[in-house]
Amino acid sequence: MKKELPHFNIGASYGGNQDWFPTFMMRIGGCGAETACDSSMYFALHRGLSKIAPENYRALGRDEYVDFAYVMKPYLSPRMTGIDRLDIFVDGYSQYLRDRGEDSLSMTEFSGDEPYDSAKSAVIRQIDGEYPIPTLILNHRDKRYEDYVWHWFLINGYNDTNGFYVKAVTYSGYEWLSLKDLWNTGYPRRGGFVLFNID
């Protein structure tokens, strides 16, 4: 079975891209803010939570997306060690939601220390429930995942036809990755998922 959530395009870009940001710190450390912006766009376009996206979210251009990212920046600001814990993302994005008067969307942390089977079940549950999944990967021993090291991105689909693969969205595109390989980083300190729920 394969399931993908709808997303959004800005020109030819599948979602936003932190490489667009004009300042160095946001280009290297703005992935948390960018992931929150993409989440906001998804919930505005596809779940009716329009208060958490820019007013013109249905026709957002690149410049407007960058402006949106800098609105999000104070809540998920780049820092020397990065947004390297799930609670930093949850706390920052929760404050953004409160400031926008949106109290129906909540988040829980799903630690990277959880076993793979639990992570797989969480992905299926969230995607089937029509929730994208903000995902944090810290270090990883497999060089195939070097673009995801110390990085936030969205998962917005899964395919369990031949193994279990997730659709990882980042840098204007997506690719299908083995969740088992992605989850088993080879390091004791791991990231994890942020799980959304609409009350």
Side-chain angles (χ1 to χ4, degrees):
M1 180 178 178
K2 182 178 183 181
K3 179 156 187 176
E4 299 175 73
L5 300 182
H7 201 51
F8 67 98
N9 286 81
I10 299 176
S13 174
Y14 188 77
N17 191 326
Q18 72 191 78
D19 285 342
W20 297 343
F21 301 155
T23 56
F24 174 74
M25 281 302 294
M26 278 291 279
R27 284 196 302 274
I28 66 166
C31 54
E34 192 263 347
T35 298
C37 287
D38 276 19
S39 299
S40 296
M41 288 291 293
Y42 171 82
F43 285 113
L45 288 164
H46 306 298
R47 300 297 299 270
L49 306 185
S50 59
K51 292 187 291 188
I52 65 174
E55 288 186 9
N56 62 333
Y57 66 90
R58 293 190 182 279
L60 206 65
R62 175 170 164 165
D63 289 345
E64 290 86 1
Y65 183 91
V66 170
D67 290 343
F68 182 33
Y70 279 80
V71 170
M72 192 67 72
K73 178 186 174 185
Y75 300 92
L76 291 163
S77 182
R79 59 206 74 194
M80 289 303 295
T81 59
I83 298 174
D84 60 346
R85 301 194 319 267
L86 301 177
D87 65 293
I88 298 175
F89 184 94
V90 169
D91 290 348
Y93 193 41
S94 293
Q95 185 60 57
Y96 171 80
L97 296 174
R98 285 193 294 272
D99 288 350
R100 294 302 177 275
E102 182 53 71
D103 59 5
S104 67
L105 183 62
S106 61
M107 288 166 277
T108 56
E109 301 166 27
F110 185 92
S111 173
D113 294 333
E114 295 287 339
Y116 163 72
D117 286 343
S118 296
K120 177 182 174 181
S121 295
V123 168
I124 294 171
R125 182 173 64 252
Q126 291 299 108
I127 300 300
D128 286 354
E130 300 184 343
Y131 297 108
I133 306 168
T135 303
L136 171 64
I137 298 295
L138 297 174
N139 291 308
H140 206 294
R141 294 198 184 279
D142 192 330
K143 296 302 182 185
R144 290 177 297 173
Y145 301 107
E146 60 185 358
D147 289 342
Y148 297 89
V149 167
W150 228 261
H151 190 53
W152 282 94
F153 58 96
L154 279 183
I155 288 174
N156 72 352
Y158 68 82
N159 186 349
D160 64 357
T161 305
N162 185 19
F164 191 82
Y165 288 80
V166 293
K167 186 179 177 184
V169 180
T170 190
Y171 290 113
S172 293
Y174 64 86
E175 61 179 331
W176 291 93
L177 305 175
S178 164
L179 180 63
K180 180 175 284 188
D181 292 345
L182 186 68
W183 196 252
N184 296 323
T185 65
Y187 284 87
R189 187 183 175 209
R190 303 182 179 185
F193 298 146
V194 171
L195 307 181
F196 288 121
N197 185 65
I198 295 177
D199 300 324

